[in-house]
Amino acid sequence: MDILERRDALTRMRRTMRRWRPRPNTGSLTKDVVFLLIIGFIQITILPYLLGSLGYLDLITPWLVITFIRQRPLQAHILALVGAMILETRLAAPAGLYLCAYWILANVISLVRPALSWRYKTPWLVSYALASLWVILFEVFVINFLQTASLHQPTYIAQQVVRFFVTVSYGMYLSREWMTIDAEEPVPQ
């Protein structure tokens, strides 16, 4: 049967592109770190350039939520550390804000994940919503604590609401392959 397999350059390139398709939980820690760095680069450099002062979008949190659900705890915590360090680079004074937020999030999800069926949309939706809300509230409490005037402005609140919905929508888009009834249960045992 191996003789019948196509071995031309286009087929090999297509297979390589399919293996290196950017998605969370590839099965290789190296690929996951590379893809997380790419997502972090897009979030920190490209999106602010495109959006300007319209707001800040979070692509790393839903990526990490999938990682916390699908990966074993050690790999999930390693990727949480990488994601937190990526987000710490955009702060003027890195103080472990995202490291603390993602550490708590990783531990809570890893404790809850065996009790839920991840084939349905509801656990995914609730996980993304709570994770996004947790990161937003953590940022509001820690980063913006001294800037109380900006917390009550309608533009700031509107930016955070848009950020919340984009984060949840992006997460639901990423996890669509695991939300079918016939899909395997994504939690490693």
Side-chain angles (χ1 to χ4, degrees), residues 129-145:
L130 291 177
S132 179
L133 192 63
W134 171 249
V135 171
I136 288 171
L137 291 176
F138 211 81
E139 285 178 0
V140 166
F141 180 72
V142 176
I143 294 176
N144 299 322
F145 188 75

Side-chain angles (χ1 to χ4, degrees), residues 56-73:
Y56 166 75
L57 298 180
D58 188 10
L59 303 178
I60 291 181
T61 299
W63 196 275
L64 288 177
V65 167
I66 293 174
T67 300
F68 300 154
I69 293 169
R70 300 265 315 155
Q71 293 279 353
R72 299 199 182 282

Side-chain angles (χ1 to χ4, degrees), residues 22-140:
R23 66 185 185 95
N25 191 37
T26 60
S28 167
L29 185 61
T30 307
K31 282 184 191 177
D32 288 340
V33 168
V34 168
F35 291 148
L36 190 60
L37 290 172
I38 292 170
I39 291 295
F41 175 77
I42 291 170
Q43 179 176 330
I44 291 174
T45 59
I46 296 173
L47 285 180
Y49 177 74
L50 293 176
L51 298 175
S53 63
L54 293 176
Y56 166 75
L57 298 180
D58 188 10
L59 303 178
I60 291 181
T61 299
W63 196 275
L64 288 177
V65 167
I66 293 174
T67 300
F68 300 154
I69 293 169
R70 300 265 315 155
Q71 293 279 353
R72 299 199 182 282
L74 180 62
Q75 288 91 351
H77 284 85
I78 290 171
L79 289 168
L81 177 68
V82 171
M85 290 300 138
I86 291 169
L87 291 177
E88 290 288 334
T89 60
R90 75 178 181 92
L91 299 176
L97 162 77
Y98 292 103
L99 185 62
C100 183
Y102 287 143
W103 182 264
I104 292 169
L105 194 62
N107 288 327
V108 167
I109 289 177
S110 65
L111 289 174
V112 171
R113 72 183 184 169
L116 298 173
S117 177
W118 296 99
R119 294 179 183 145
Y120 301 106
K121 293 178 182 175
T122 307
W124 291 99
L125 182 68
V126 170
S127 296
Y128 294 128
L130 291 177
S132 179
L133 192 63
W134 171 249
V135 171
I136 288 171
L137 291 176
F138 211 81
E139 285 178 0
V140 166

